[in-house]
Amino acid sequence: MFDIGFFELALIALLALIVLGPERLPRAARTAGLWLGRIKRSVSGIQQEISAQLEAEELRQTLSEQKKQLDETLAHARNEARDVENSIAQPTSPADPVSSVAKAPSLDKASAVDKAPTVDNTSTVLPTPESSRPAGTGKPDGEPDAASITSESREPRS
């Protein structure tokens, strides 16, 4: 701030001693010290308020950036949800594998995993070879009979 050295301070003290005299110099020094302390406290208080305002402004900017990102993410998620709803609402074509699997004959859950018939895009059931089928799994055309479904559903799975 001010570049005041020892020589300058000594010169100011000598001038004050000559002007004020030895009786009033201690009281003037005490008053000057009090004023200097008040000024320092005021300056530090102002600096703290400025730094607090700067931090608050930075937080506001960060908050607004985060809000923008959140709004963009939310808009993107809504668009994706709308696209999914539109794709679900559209009728599927018969050549679509998803619709052909959905139209395939259903089995109980235990035997559906092990003996699911092979399905192509036209939803026709292909026969499975006799050697690849376990004994008692159903008719030769690949579809299980009612007796095998009910007996397998009663057996505990291991």
Side-chain angles (χ1 to χ4, degrees), residues 4-22 24-26 28-29:
I4 299 176
F6 179 73
F7 180 72
E8 287 88 9
L9 285 177
L11 183 63
I12 292 171
L14 183 65
L15 285 174
L17 182 60
I18 292 173
V19 171
L20 294 175
R24 292 188 288 184
L25 185 60

Side-chain angles (χ1 to χ4, degrees), residues 4-124:
I4 299 176
F6 179 73
F7 180 72
E8 287 88 9
L9 285 177
L11 183 63
I12 292 171
L14 183 65
L15 285 174
L17 182 60
I18 292 173
V19 171
L20 294 175
E23 305 89 40
R24 292 188 288 184
L25 185 60
R27 193 176 343 147
R30 189 178 312 122
T31 304
L34 290 174
W35 278 100
L36 189 59
R38 287 180 185 172
I39 291 171
K40 284 184 178 181
R41 283 190 296 273
S42 296
V43 168
S44 75
I46 291 170
Q47 286 176 341
Q48 288 176 352
E49 286 180 23
I50 290 172
S51 66
Q53 289 295 327
L54 289 175
E55 288 178 12
E57 184 61 32
E58 289 175 6
L59 287 174
R60 283 186 204 111
Q61 288 177 352
T62 304
L63 182 64
S64 67
E65 290 173 4
Q66 293 292 329
K67 185 178 183 277
K68 286 179 185 177
Q69 288 178 353
L70 184 62
D71 289 342
E72 289 172 2
T73 304
L74 184 61
H76 180 68
R78 285 181 179 163
N79 288 338
E80 290 293 323
R82 196 175 303 124
D83 291 344
V84 168
E85 287 175 359
N86 290 341
S87 67
I88 290 173
Q90 292 175 352
T92 56
S93 65
D96 189 12
V98 175
S99 65
S100 64
V101 170
K103 294 177 184 176
S106 62
L107 305 172
D108 70 309
K109 291 181 182 178
S111 64
V113 173
D114 298 331
K115 300 176 199 87
T118 307
V119 178
D120 66 353
N121 287 343
T122 59
S123 103
T124 58

